[in-house]
Amino acid sequence: MKKIEAIIRKSKYRVVRDALHEVGVNFFSYWDVTGIGNEKEGHVYRGVSYSTSDIQRRYLSIVVNDDFEEATIQAILKSGGTGEVGDGKIFVSEIKECYRIRTGEKGGNTLK
């Protein structure tokens, strides 16, 4: 099993969510987060300068069986990107075990 954590633009959340549903990833958790990125310049919108040092993003936490890893990553990459600085990051780590609290069942079947 893999844990895929993605930090994406808030404006891309619905598109990413729909892309994940299309590849069969129907359960994940998300949080609104604020971070600091590499972009150093501010932006001007309607004559008002906005700081980009604190960036509003959405953090997704997804656990999938190994056979869903690549499809999940590709869905996020294709739907979450704009080609601009600040599109986000994806982190992948191993999950040793998973338990379903209701039944005590363990293993990959708990993700279904």
Side-chain angles (χ1 to χ4, degrees):
M1 289 177 281
K2 303 288 189 213
K3 181 175 187 180
I4 299 170
E5 298 168 293
I7 301 169
I8 62 171
R9 294 176 184 271
K10 286 178 83 171
S11 62
K12 287 295 209 168
Y13 171 72
R14 289 179 191 248
V15 177
V16 170
R17 178 196 63 195
D18 293 345
L20 289 170
H21 287 316
E22 285 180 23
V23 297
V25 177
N26 295 309
F27 178 81
F28 59 90
S29 299
Y30 68 91
W31 300 266
D32 288 332
V33 296
T34 302
I36 298 175
N38 291 327
E39 189 172 0
K40 303 294 185 236
E41 299 176 15
H43 289 287
V44 177
Y45 178 73
R46 294 188 178 180
V48 178
S49 180
Y50 292 93
S51 170
T52 56
S53 62
D54 295 326
I55 303 170
Q56 298 293 314
R57 295 290 182 253
R58 190 147 283 169
Y59 181 95
L60 309 178
S61 177
I62 309 161
V63 178
V64 296
N65 285 314
D66 290 339
D67 55 337
F68 274 91
E69 176 186 2
E70 190 59 30
T72 303
I73 292 168
Q74 289 305 313
I76 297 167
L77 288 173
K78 289 178 183 174
S79 61
T82 66
E84 301 292 325
V85 172
D87 279 346
K89 300 277 191 279
I90 298 173
F91 306 99
V92 179
S93 55
E94 287 284 334
I95 296 294
K96 182 178 174 183
E97 193 60 80
C98 179
Y99 293 86
R100 179 172 286 142
I101 295 173
R102 178 176 50 90
T103 63
E105 176 184 10
K106 73 176 190 173
N109 287 334
T110 61
L111 299 176
K112 296 179 183 179

